[in-house]
Amino acid sequence: MGEFARATITFPTLLFTVGVVVMVGYWLAVIAGLVQPNLGGPKRDSVLSNKFADIPPAVTVTSLLAQGWFWALLLDANPAPEQGLVRLAVRGVVFAVLGLVLAYFGTRLLAYILRRTGAVS
């Protein structure tokens, strides 16, 4: 358990861990009835309107954060041997960007599945 905790609070996974904690808090507040989820689609002039026009923003952001966290954690599972601080930082940035790119494509796949099953209109 110690290695898992270390991995979740180190760079680059820490960037996504903070988002996942906020996301879990948001969904717990939705379940408790403290907030209403935003189930409307993004505005037509937004960047996300092309790929995620009919997917609720809360679902899109949740998918991006959860998958980004997973991919960053998976990519950084085997810590590199002792390296310099600059090399370690560059490695972390590459893993964070790669995790975000993989999360984007995973969210596109989720949106496709939701459309095909009729879960969204």
Side-chain angles (χ1 to χ4, degrees):
M1 184 66 180
E3 282 296 312
F4 178 75
R6 182 210 56 82
T8 60
I9 60 170
T10 57
F11 183 74
T13 312
L14 178 65
L15 300 172
F16 295 103
T17 300
V18 172
V20 167
V21 168
V22 171
M23 174 192 69
V24 167
Y26 170 77
W27 284 112
L28 287 175
V30 168
I31 290 170
L34 300 174
V35 294
Q36 294 295 318
N38 182 3
L39 296 179
K43 304 287 186 244
R44 291 290 172 202
D45 58 344
S46 72
V47 173
L48 296 177
S49 67
N50 294 343
K51 305 297 179 202
F52 308 112
D54 48 354
I55 308 299
V59 174
T60 303
V61 172
T62 297
S63 177
L64 284 170
L65 284 173
Q67 290 184 52
W69 181 85
F70 171 77
W71 288 115
L73 184 65
L74 186 67
L75 289 168
D76 200 35
N78 295 323
E82 289 299 317
Q83 295 180 349
L85 188 59
V86 172
R87 291 183 103 182
L88 205 55
V90 168
R91 179 177 183 256
V93 168
V94 168
F95 285 168
V97 169
L98 188 56
L100 195 57
V101 167
L102 290 169
Y104 171 77
F105 286 111
T107 301
R108 283 188 62 184
L109 177 63
L110 176 67
Y112 174 77
I113 291 170
L114 289 175
R115 279 188 211 102
R116 295 288 291 178
T117 60
V120 294
S121 53

